[in-house]
Amino acid sequence: MKKPLIYSILLLLPSLVVSTSCSTSSSENISLSGAFALYPLAVKWGEEYRKLHPDTRIDISGGGAGKGMADALAGAVDLGMFSREISPAEKEKGVWWITVAKDAVLPTISASNPFLGNLQQKGLSSTQFRQIFITKEISTWGQALSSANADKINLYTRSDAAGAAATWAQFLQWDAKQENLQGIGVFGDPGLAEAVSKDPLAIGFNNVAYVYNINTGEKRPGIEVIPIDVNENGRIDPEEDFYDHAGSLLKAIAGGKYPSPPARELYFVSDGLPENKAVLAFLKWILTDGQQYVKEAGYVPVDTAILQSELQKLNGK
């Protein structure tokens, strides 16, 4: 199978310097690392902010939500990109955070899956996904679709500490963690999307930005979404059918038709309130003028009340 070009490109993205300026002082440098879920939006924000502030250098690298939290608490970066609920233990360590956008984790399969049509009609419920990913009570496509087919389901998950994996586990079972998910571990969202797209019998999960081409709204070549049978009636009803285009999916996330989790808020985190004035100015811009780019980048804006609350945090309130 020809390797989808988009994933080759995305695999090159985990580390990006938005500016190549060499004339800036250290106080004008801003560094970010972490969640692949937030990476494309952070790059968009970095590019737009640099048009207004060309002397600011912004370094952005991926690596997963776990890396973002670890780097932020260690002071290795100014801001960590984070994509799951912040745990009590992380709060006890003094992590500071603001909510900046919202997206979702989607169950994904190869576009070459031989059961694609049946899956799009029936979908799978959270109970069935739990029996596939956690308990393994369902291990064949026949069991998933109530047929005699014995083809094994090939499970994929994330090998890095990922907000997407933690959020997906929480959707399947409220107290489950990433470690409870079965399957072959693959590093990073781009890698997982590529692995699933190349295996016709695979099931995985991906963030919205790695399933849809946000410029066109169409699904990326080689990958498809399993609709979630929210009411568990064994079929995808019209109100559950919104996966054909990124626009309809994002509208469903914003309107609560897509369950939460696996929809979730996205955060920037740091070791206490940032003191770097350049970082604070960047965050203030993200929570105000920068919000105009959220939909354009393929994400769901957070409520105005939340944005106002997060702005107060920048003032130490």
Side-chain angles (χ1 to χ4, degrees):
M1 179 184 294
K2 185 178 179 181
K3 188 176 183 180
L5 177 60
I6 186 63
Y7 298 130
S8 300
I9 295 172
L10 288 171
L11 285 169
L12 297 176
L13 284 178
S15 181
L16 178 72
V17 178
V18 177
S19 166
T20 57
S21 171
C22 296
S23 61
T24 56
S25 66
S26 59
S27 63
E28 294 171 320
N29 292 345
I30 302 172
S31 56
L32 303 89
S33 73
F36 287 98
L38 193 47
Y39 181 89
L41 180 55
V43 169
K44 177 64 176 176
W45 275 330
E47 292 172 343
E48 296 299 331
Y49 191 75
R50 277 269 301 148
K51 294 176 183 177
L52 303 171
H53 305 277
D55 290 335
T56 300
R57 177 188 173 102
I58 304 175
D59 300 326
I60 307 171
S61 61
K67 175 175 172 54
M69 179 63 77
D71 285 353
L73 290 177
V77 295
D78 294 304
L79 299 169
M81 299 180 287
F82 205 65
S83 57
R84 63 163 171 78
E85 286 190 10
I86 297 169
S87 71
E90 290 160 344
K91 293 176 182 177
E92 289 178 1
K93 292 179 181 178
V95 66
W96 177 93
W97 72 92
I98 58 170
T99 307
V100 294
K102 189 174 182 179
D103 81 337
V105 181
L106 306 170
T108 50
I109 55 174
S110 168
S112 301
N113 185 294
F115 313 103
L116 177 61
N118 203 359
L119 284 167
Q120 289 177 328
Q121 291 180 359
K122 292 184 174 181
L124 293 177
S125 67
S126 61
T127 299
Q128 289 173 301
F129 282 122
R130 180 170 62 251
Q131 293 171 331
I132 293 171
F133 276 95
I134 293 181
T135 68
K136 300 199 75 172
E137 296 169 78
I138 294 177
S139 59
T140 69
W141 286 101
Q143 291 174 311
L145 294 168
S146 301
S147 73
N149 187 282
D151 287 340
K152 182 183 175 185
I153 296 174
N154 296 332
L155 276 178
Y156 290 84
T157 185
R158 291 279 291 274
S159 61
D160 51 314
T167 302
W168 185 244
Q170 188 183 13
F171 168 60
L172 305 185
Q173 183 175 304
W174 70 272
D175 60 345
K177 302 183 183 303
Q178 176 176 350
E179 293 74 21
N180 297 115
L181 297 177
Q182 306 295 316
I184 301 169
V186 180
F187 178 82
D189 217 333
L192 183 53
E194 182 176 24
V196 169
S197 70
K198 293 169 65 175
D199 184 345
L201 299 179
I203 285 184
F205 51 85
N206 290 98
N207 299 306
V208 173
Y210 299 89
V211 178
Y212 293 86
N213 181 330
I214 299 306
N215 293 324
T216 65
E218 305 295 328
K219 297 187 194 79
R220 297 188 185 280
I223 199 162
E224 274 289 346
V225 180
I226 302 177
I228 296 179
D229 178 14
V230 177
N231 60 16
E232 303 202 10
N233 67 352
R235 65 176 183 273
I236 294 302
D237 297 316
E239 62 270 23
E240 297 170 323
D241 187 9
F242 39 70
Y243 299 91
D244 281 347
H245 192 274
S248 56
L249 171 65
L250 295 175
K251 185 177 180 180
I253 294 171
K257 289 185 176 180
Y258 191 79
S260 180
R264 44 59 196 288
E265 294 180 336
L266 302 172
Y267 310 98
F268 282 146
V269 300
S270 67
D271 182 23
L273 175 65
E275 297 180 355
N276 185 326
K277 292 182 179 179
V279 174
L280 289 170
F282 182 52
L283 290 175
K284 183 177 181 180
W285 176 84
I286 285 172
L287 294 173
T288 53
D289 293 346
Q291 287 294 302
Q292 66 184 294
Y293 303 107
V294 172
K295 287 185 177 179
E296 180 181 332
Y299 294 76
V300 176
V302 294
D303 293 340
T304 301
I306 294 176
L307 292 175
Q308 290 301 318
S309 174
E310 303 308 72
L311 280 168
Q312 292 294 318
K313 289 184 181 179
L314 297 182
N315 297 320
K317 299 179 180 177

